[in-house]
Structure formats: structure tokens, C-alpha cells
Amino acid sequence: MVSRADRGPLADWFWTIDRFFLAAFIMLMGIGFMLSFAASPAVAQRIGLSDFHFVERHAVFLIPSLAIMIGLSFLTPRQVRRTAIVLLALSLAAMVLALFFGVEVKGARRWIGVGALSIQPSEFMKPAFVVVCAWLFSEHARQPEIPGNLFAIILFGIVAALLVAQPDLGQTILTSIVWGGMFFMAGMPWLWIVLLGGVGVGGLLAAYYMLPHVTARFDKFLTGEGDRFQVETAHEAIVRGNWFGQGPGEGIVKRILPDSHTDFVFSVAAEEFGIIFCMALVAIFAFIVLRGLKHAFNERNDFNRFAVAGLVLQIGIQSMINIGVNLELMPAKGMTLPLISYGGSSMIAICVTAGFILALTRHRPERRAQERSLFRVASGVPAE
């Protein structure tokens, strides 16, 4: 047991970390590993691999992901900001390279091949983008003469352009919603809300009319016609699971579900473990979002507030999109369920997000005391 009298880095981390956040993230990682046994063997068999090929790879990615999450949680807010700036620069450069030299899959260039691995730079861009924008918004709030909001808008335009060029409409929408939520928290004027809302609607209409795959997905969702095998199969798996599921390993529909280990792992969970289990899974994501927003509400430091809110919104909205597609509430979109779905880039990137959240929500009494003192001075309240 770590003593409170110990003043080493490990003891300081142990007594200041948000254990509820840490437990929630580790719980999701454990559930994801468990579901990989249920969801991935059928996929591996169909493509001629050993039954536990994806399970083994999931375990391989799980270890460094956990190490990255814990390692990043030791950082101070300043170190988080610096790490995010470096990560964003590298990610944007890699996204540009992917457009010209990346691996093309289903008409999209989102991956860069590194040996036997395929890395998706946009996954690592997301948490770094949130933190850097939080810093820009906070700098503008602290010193209005600094054009932080303008730089954040320019940065968002660059990121959105690269995502659309891949093309990846789902990530573009996710990034736009999170960025818009942070901008709103930063005091976005109503004129900007109307203008950016109009740009967003215009962008969706342009994507619908100019990108054939987007048109096809929206038409299938709205009319119920065309090739809907995957979403209908996912729906059948959920219905078959009922309240308590068919039992571990007893799923049948999952065997014909093409992306059961990635985009549709939620449906596999419903078939084998039931709707109640899925409700508990949703509750964990809701807990992360609500606890993060609570931290943000109580935080006096603008950078910490914007960053924590943006990071938990990113996790929450991504999980909503994935689950919404599984439940046929949204058009089909290839987006993973955070820390649950198989995928090395996604898992490591979400653990980067989790590490940033843990670092920014650590309880630092000396920093908070200093902030309260500064707040009193700014408000003209006598010091205690």
C-alpha cells in the first residue's frame, strides 16, 4: 500500500488520480477484451486465419495501450499541452502523407502502412486537436487581444479539409460537434453559432450530393431499400439476444456479420449477453461523460475545463454514433466503439484520450489553492 507520507511520483499519482475515471477506463478495456473472444473468431474463420487471431492481436495492443494511458496520466497540464502540440503536428503530417502514399481501402486513403501494421493518423489527431483547441480558446479567454479563437477556426478548417479529402465524413462530423461544443463553452457569439451551423448544414448537403457513398448510405437509411445486410443482421442479433442474451459463445447471427469484431461488436454483445448488459455498457460511457462534465464545471482553469469537456464529449459522441448505427438509428458509418472494438490505432488513440483526461482531472491542492487566491485578488476579495 502506498503511504500518504510518501512524496514520490508514484505516491503523488496514486493519491491524486481520479480512481473512478481510472476504474471506468480499465473496465471498458476488460469488457472489450472479453467481447473479442465472442466477436472475432467467426470473422477470422471467414478470411482463413486462426480462430483467435484477432483476440491475440487485441491482447497485443491492449498492453501498450494501458501503459500509454497510465504514462500520460502522470503529466502536468502544461506537459499535456506540449505533448498534444507535438502529436497534432505529427498526425497532420501523417494525414497528408496518407492522401498520397497511404493504403487505399474501399476508396478511402486513411491508413499508412508501417511494416505489418496499418496506422490511422486521424485517430491520433482527435485527442491532440481537442487539447490544442482548448489551449487556443483558453488563451483568448485569458487575453482577448490574442486571436486564439481565430487560430482555432483555422486549425479546424485544416483538420476538416484533410478528413473530407480522405474521405471520412463520420470523423468530420464527430470532430465538428466536439469542436463546436468547446467553442460554445468558450463563449461563442450567437452570430458565430448561426454562421457555423449554416456551414455545417451546407457541408452535409454538399457531401450528400457530391459523394456517392454518402448518398447511398443516407438513401438506404431513409428508404430502407438497397443492400442493408450488415445493419439488418446487426438488428437481428440484438433482437435475438433479448434481455439476458443467448449466453457466452452461443451467438449464431454474429457468424454472418462481416464487421462483428469492429463496428458491430455492440450487436454481438447484445446477442450473447443481452440488452441489460448493453444498458450497463452504455451507463459506463454515460458515467465518463457526466463525470468529465462535472469536473469541467468545477474547474477554474479555462484550459483544463475546455480540454476535459472536449475529450469526454469525443468519447461520448463516438460511442453514440457507433451504438446508433447498431440500433439502426443512424446511417451506417464505420466508427469503432471506444476501448471495446478491435483496432490497434483506435485503441491506442482512445487510451491517449483517457490518459489526457486522467492527467487533467488529478486533484492538485496546491494549484487549486493558488487559483482561488488569484480569483480573490481579481475579484477584490481580501485574502484569508
Side-chain angles (χ1 to χ4, degrees):
M1 185 66 180
V2 180
S3 170
R4 284 186 180 272
D6 190 350
R7 289 292 181 264
L10 181 60
D12 180 59
W13 175 88
F14 182 82
W15 292 112
T16 59
I17 199 73
D18 188 314
R19 295 186 184 84
F20 292 102
F21 263 140
L22 182 62
F25 290 132
I26 293 177
M27 191 180 301
L28 286 177
M29 296 173 77
I31 293 172
F33 184 58
M34 176 190 73
L35 289 177
S36 69
F37 283 91
S40 64
V43 179
Q45 290 174 3
R46 282 200 301 270
I47 59 179
L49 300 172
S50 63
D51 289 0
F52 295 105
H53 172 80
F54 292 112
V55 175
E56 293 168 356
R57 287 179 65 87
H58 194 111
V60 168
F61 288 123
L62 199 62
I63 296 171
S65 297
L66 182 60
I68 287 171
M69 181 181 74
I70 299 298
L72 289 175
S73 69
F74 278 83
L75 300 181
T76 64
R78 177 176 294 181
Q79 291 169 332
V80 167
R81 184 169 63 244
R82 291 175 176 175
T83 302
I85 291 172
V86 174
L87 181 59
L88 180 63
L90 293 175
S91 300
L92 292 178
M95 289 172 68
V96 173
L97 290 175
L99 294 176
F100 298 98
F101 308 106
V103 179
E104 184 173 341
V105 179
K106 298 180 181 179
R109 289 185 177 273
R110 305 171 189 168
W111 295 268
I112 292 179
V114 181
L117 300 176
S118 292
I119 298 174
Q120 189 174 356
S122 60
E123 290 288 349
F124 299 93
M125 174 276 299
K126 291 187 295 184
F129 172 74
V130 168
V131 172
V132 172
C133 283
W135 171 55
L136 293 172
F137 289 140
S138 65
E139 285 299 300
H140 181 82
R142 186 173 64 89
Q143 299 183 54
E145 63 273 13
I146 297 177
N149 288 359
L150 177 61
F151 289 150
I153 292 172
I154 294 172
L155 181 59
F156 169 71
I158 294 171
V159 167
L162 288 173
L163 289 173
V164 170
Q166 291 183 345
D168 193 340
L169 182 63
Q171 297 284 19
T172 307
I173 293 173
L174 171 61
T175 303
S176 301
I177 294 173
V178 173
W179 180 85
M182 293 170 62
F183 200 177
F184 182 79
M185 287 183 62
M188 178 196 301
W190 282 103
L191 177 61
W192 277 104
I193 294 175
V194 174
L195 289 175
L196 293 175
V199 171
V201 173
L204 286 175
L205 290 174
Y208 177 79
Y209 287 109
M210 298 176 64
L211 300 176
H213 74 284
V214 174
T215 305
R217 288 182 178 181
F218 270 93
D219 287 347
K220 289 174 187 177
F221 174 73
L222 295 173
T223 65
E225 300 175 353
D227 182 11
R228 291 169 44 83
F229 173 77
Q230 187 143 247
V231 292
E232 289 178 351
T233 304
H235 180 263
E236 182 183 349
I238 294 172
V239 172
R240 188 172 183 275
N242 213 315
W243 289 103
F244 301 102
Q246 298 295 313
E250 298 299 320
I252 296 176
V253 179
K254 69 175 186 181
R255 298 175 187 173
I256 59 172
L257 190 58
D259 295 324
S260 61
H261 63 319
T262 53
D263 302 341
F264 291 93
V265 68
F266 185 82
S267 298
V268 176
E271 183 181 17
E272 297 205 348
F273 298 97
I275 295 173
I276 292 179
F277 175 85
C278 290
M279 291 172 65
L281 188 59
V282 171
I284 297 175
F285 284 112
F287 170 80
I288 290 172
V289 174
L290 293 175
R291 188 166 183 82
L293 293 178
K294 179 177 179 291
H295 268 285
F297 181 78
N298 294 328
E299 180 63 63
R300 292 189 184 276
N301 182 281
D302 284 334
F303 167 67
N304 287 10
R305 180 166 68 251
F306 298 152
V308 171
L311 291 169
V312 297
L313 281 176
Q314 178 189 305
I315 292 176
I317 295 170
Q318 181 170 331
S319 63
M320 285 176 58
I321 293 173
N322 178 276
I323 294 170
V325 169
N326 277 258
L327 296 175
E328 290 191 276
L329 298 176
M330 301 177 67
K333 175 67 195 83
M335 190 171 290
T336 59
L337 188 59
L339 298 178
I340 303 293
S341 298
Y342 168 81
S345 292
S346 174
M347 184 184 299
I348 294 174
I350 292 295
C351 281
V352 170
T353 304
F356 285 165
I357 292 172
L358 290 170
L360 294 170
T361 56
R362 284 174 60 187
H363 180 65
R364 295 179 171 89
E366 69 287 348
R367 178 175 60 82
R368 298 188 188 280
Q370 182 182 21
E371 288 175 356
R372 283 195 294 270
S373 177
L374 291 173
F375 179 76
R376 290 192 188 97
V377 171
S379 305
V381 178
E384 296 178 355

Short mmCIF file of all heavy atoms in Angstrom, two decimals, residues 30 44 54 60 69 77 88 92-93 105 110 126 134 161 164 176 206 213 223 233 241 329 334 349 363 378:
data_model
loop_
_atom_site.label_atom_id
_atom_site.label_comp_id
_atom_site.label_asym_id
_atom_site.label_seq_id
_atom_site.Cartn_x
_atom_site.Cartn_y
_atom_site.Cartn_z
N GLY A 30 -11.32 -4.14 -20.26
CA GLY A 30 -11.56 -5.55 -19.92
C GLY A 30 -12.76 -6.11 -20.66
O GLY A 30 -12.73 -7.25 -21.16
N ALA A 44 -12.37 -14.30 -38.22
CA ALA A 44 -11.08 -14.91 -38.54
C ALA A 44 -11.25 -16.17 -39.38
O ALA A 44 -10.50 -16.41 -40.34
CB ALA A 44 -10.33 -15.23 -37.25
N PHE A 54 -7.52 -12.44 -34.06
CA PHE A 54 -7.85 -11.08 -33.63
C PHE A 54 -7.83 -10.94 -32.11
O PHE A 54 -7.54 -9.85 -31.59
CB PHE A 54 -9.21 -10.67 -34.20
CG PHE A 54 -9.22 -10.51 -35.69
CD1 PHE A 54 -9.93 -11.38 -36.49
CD2 PHE A 54 -8.50 -9.48 -36.30
CE1 PHE A 54 -9.94 -11.25 -37.87
CE2 PHE A 54 -8.50 -9.34 -37.69
CZ PHE A 54 -9.21 -10.22 -38.48
N VAL A 60 -2.28 -7.95 -27.75
CA VAL A 60 -1.00 -7.29 -28.03
C VAL A 60 -1.16 -5.78 -27.98
O VAL A 60 -0.30 -5.07 -27.44
CB VAL A 60 -0.47 -7.74 -29.40
CG1 VAL A 60 0.70 -6.85 -29.84
CG2 VAL A 60 -0.03 -9.20 -29.36
N MET A 69 -1.82 4.97 -21.44
CA MET A 69 -2.82 5.68 -20.64
C MET A 69 -2.25 6.02 -19.26
O MET A 69 -2.37 7.17 -18.80
CB MET A 69 -4.08 4.82 -20.49
CG MET A 69 -5.18 5.48 -19.68
SD MET A 69 -6.66 4.47 -19.50
CE MET A 69 -6.09 3.25 -18.29
N PRO A 77 -0.70 19.56 -16.56
CA PRO A 77 -1.44 20.20 -17.66
C PRO A 77 -0.53 20.83 -18.71
O PRO A 77 -0.82 20.75 -19.91
CB PRO A 77 -2.29 21.25 -16.94
CG PRO A 77 -2.54 20.65 -15.59
CD PRO A 77 -1.25 19.95 -15.24
N LEU A 88 -0.23 16.47 -32.52
CA LEU A 88 -1.07 17.03 -33.59
C LEU A 88 -0.24 17.32 -34.83
O LEU A 88 -0.68 17.02 -35.96
CB LEU A 88 -1.74 18.31 -33.09
CG LEU A 88 -2.65 19.02 -34.10
CD1 LEU A 88 -3.83 18.13 -34.47
CD2 LEU A 88 -3.15 20.35 -33.55
N LEU A 92 -1.09 15.44 -38.34
CA LEU A 92 -1.48 16.17 -39.54
C LEU A 92 -0.53 15.87 -40.70
O LEU A 92 -0.96 15.70 -41.85
CB LEU A 92 -1.53 17.67 -39.25
CG LEU A 92 -2.63 18.15 -38.31
CD1 LEU A 92 -2.51 19.65 -38.07
CD2 LEU A 92 -4.01 17.81 -38.85
N ALA A 93 0.76 15.80 -40.39
CA ALA A 93 1.73 15.46 -41.43
C ALA A 93 1.47 14.06 -41.97
O ALA A 93 1.53 13.82 -43.19
CB ALA A 93 3.14 15.56 -40.86
N VAL A 105 -8.37 1.64 -48.93
CA VAL A 105 -9.33 0.61 -48.52
C VAL A 105 -10.73 1.14 -48.80
O VAL A 105 -11.13 2.18 -48.26
CB VAL A 105 -9.19 0.26 -47.02
CG1 VAL A 105 -10.22 -0.80 -46.63
CG2 VAL A 105 -7.78 -0.23 -46.71
N ARG A 110 -6.90 6.41 -45.60
CA ARG A 110 -6.83 6.84 -44.21
C ARG A 110 -5.69 6.18 -43.45
O ARG A 110 -5.43 6.54 -42.31
CB ARG A 110 -8.15 6.48 -43.49
CG ARG A 110 -9.39 7.02 -44.17
CD ARG A 110 -10.65 6.45 -43.54
NE ARG A 110 -11.84 6.80 -44.31
CZ ARG A 110 -13.03 6.25 -44.13
NH1 ARG A 110 -13.19 5.33 -43.19
NH2 ARG A 110 -14.05 6.63 -44.87
N LYS A 126 -7.33 13.27 -33.19
CA LYS A 126 -8.53 13.73 -32.47
C LYS A 126 -8.25 14.22 -31.05
O LYS A 126 -8.63 15.35 -30.71
CB LYS A 126 -9.59 12.63 -32.47
CG LYS A 126 -10.20 12.37 -33.85
CD LYS A 126 -11.37 11.41 -33.78
CE LYS A 126 -10.96 10.04 -33.33
NZ LYS A 126 -12.07 9.06 -33.33
N ALA A 134 -8.47 23.59 -27.04
CA ALA A 134 -8.78 24.04 -25.68
C ALA A 134 -7.77 25.09 -25.23
O ALA A 134 -8.14 26.09 -24.58
CB ALA A 134 -8.76 22.85 -24.71
N ALA A 161 -10.71 19.74 -43.70
CA ALA A 161 -10.35 19.56 -45.11
C ALA A 161 -9.60 18.24 -45.31
O ALA A 161 -9.87 17.52 -46.29
CB ALA A 161 -9.49 20.73 -45.58
N VAL A 164 -12.15 15.32 -44.98
CA VAL A 164 -13.02 15.22 -46.15
C VAL A 164 -12.25 14.67 -47.35
O VAL A 164 -12.79 13.92 -48.16
CB VAL A 164 -13.63 16.60 -46.48
CG1 VAL A 164 -14.35 16.57 -47.83
CG2 VAL A 164 -14.60 17.02 -45.39
N SER A 176 -16.32 17.98 -35.75
CA SER A 176 -17.05 19.25 -35.82
C SER A 176 -17.93 19.45 -34.59
O SER A 176 -17.99 20.56 -34.03
CB SER A 176 -17.92 19.29 -37.09
OG SER A 176 -17.13 19.15 -38.25
N ALA A 206 -23.70 19.19 -49.24
CA ALA A 206 -22.69 19.03 -50.28
C ALA A 206 -22.17 17.60 -50.32
O ALA A 206 -21.98 17.01 -51.40
CB ALA A 206 -21.54 20.01 -50.06
N HIS A 213 -20.91 7.50 -52.05
CA HIS A 213 -21.09 6.55 -50.94
C HIS A 213 -21.92 7.17 -49.82
O HIS A 213 -22.67 6.46 -49.13
CB HIS A 213 -19.73 6.08 -50.41
CG HIS A 213 -18.97 7.10 -49.62
ND1 HIS A 213 -18.31 8.16 -50.20
CD2 HIS A 213 -18.79 7.23 -48.28
CE1 HIS A 213 -17.75 8.89 -49.26
NE2 HIS A 213 -18.02 8.36 -48.09
N THR A 223 -34.87 5.24 -46.90
CA THR A 223 -35.88 4.49 -47.66
C THR A 223 -35.97 3.03 -47.26
O THR A 223 -36.99 2.38 -47.53
CB THR A 223 -35.56 4.57 -49.17
OG1 THR A 223 -34.31 3.90 -49.43
CG2 THR A 223 -35.45 6.02 -49.62
N THR A 233 -28.65 -7.48 -40.19
CA THR A 233 -28.11 -8.61 -39.44
C THR A 233 -27.79 -8.20 -38.00
O THR A 233 -28.05 -8.94 -37.05
CB THR A 233 -26.84 -9.16 -40.12
OG1 THR A 233 -27.14 -9.50 -41.47
CG2 THR A 233 -26.33 -10.41 -39.41
N GLY A 241 -30.95 -11.51 -28.88
CA GLY A 241 -30.35 -11.52 -27.55
C GLY A 241 -31.35 -11.31 -26.44
O GLY A 241 -31.15 -11.77 -25.31
N LEU A 329 -30.49 3.61 -35.81
CA LEU A 329 -30.97 4.96 -35.55
C LEU A 329 -30.22 5.99 -36.37
O LEU A 329 -30.60 7.16 -36.40
CB LEU A 329 -30.82 5.30 -34.06
CG LEU A 329 -31.61 4.41 -33.09
CD1 LEU A 329 -31.28 4.80 -31.65
CD2 LEU A 329 -33.10 4.54 -33.34
N GLY A 334 -18.59 3.50 -40.47
CA GLY A 334 -17.53 2.71 -39.86
C GLY A 334 -16.82 3.47 -38.76
O GLY A 334 -15.81 4.15 -39.00
N ALA A 349 -5.25 5.31 -29.53
CA ALA A 349 -5.65 6.72 -29.56
C ALA A 349 -6.66 7.03 -28.45
O ALA A 349 -6.59 8.09 -27.82
CB ALA A 349 -6.24 7.06 -30.92
N HIS A 363 -6.29 15.61 -8.72
CA HIS A 363 -6.53 16.58 -7.65
C HIS A 363 -5.19 17.17 -7.22
O HIS A 363 -4.33 16.47 -6.68
CB HIS A 363 -7.21 15.91 -6.46
CG HIS A 363 -7.48 16.85 -5.32
ND1 HIS A 363 -8.36 17.91 -5.44
CD2 HIS A 363 -6.98 16.91 -4.06
CE1 HIS A 363 -8.41 18.56 -4.29
NE2 HIS A 363 -7.57 17.99 -3.44
N ALA A 378 -8.43 39.01 -8.11
CA ALA A 378 -9.11 39.59 -9.28
C ALA A 378 -10.50 40.12 -8.92
O ALA A 378 -10.98 41.07 -9.54
CB ALA A 378 -9.20 38.53 -10.38
#
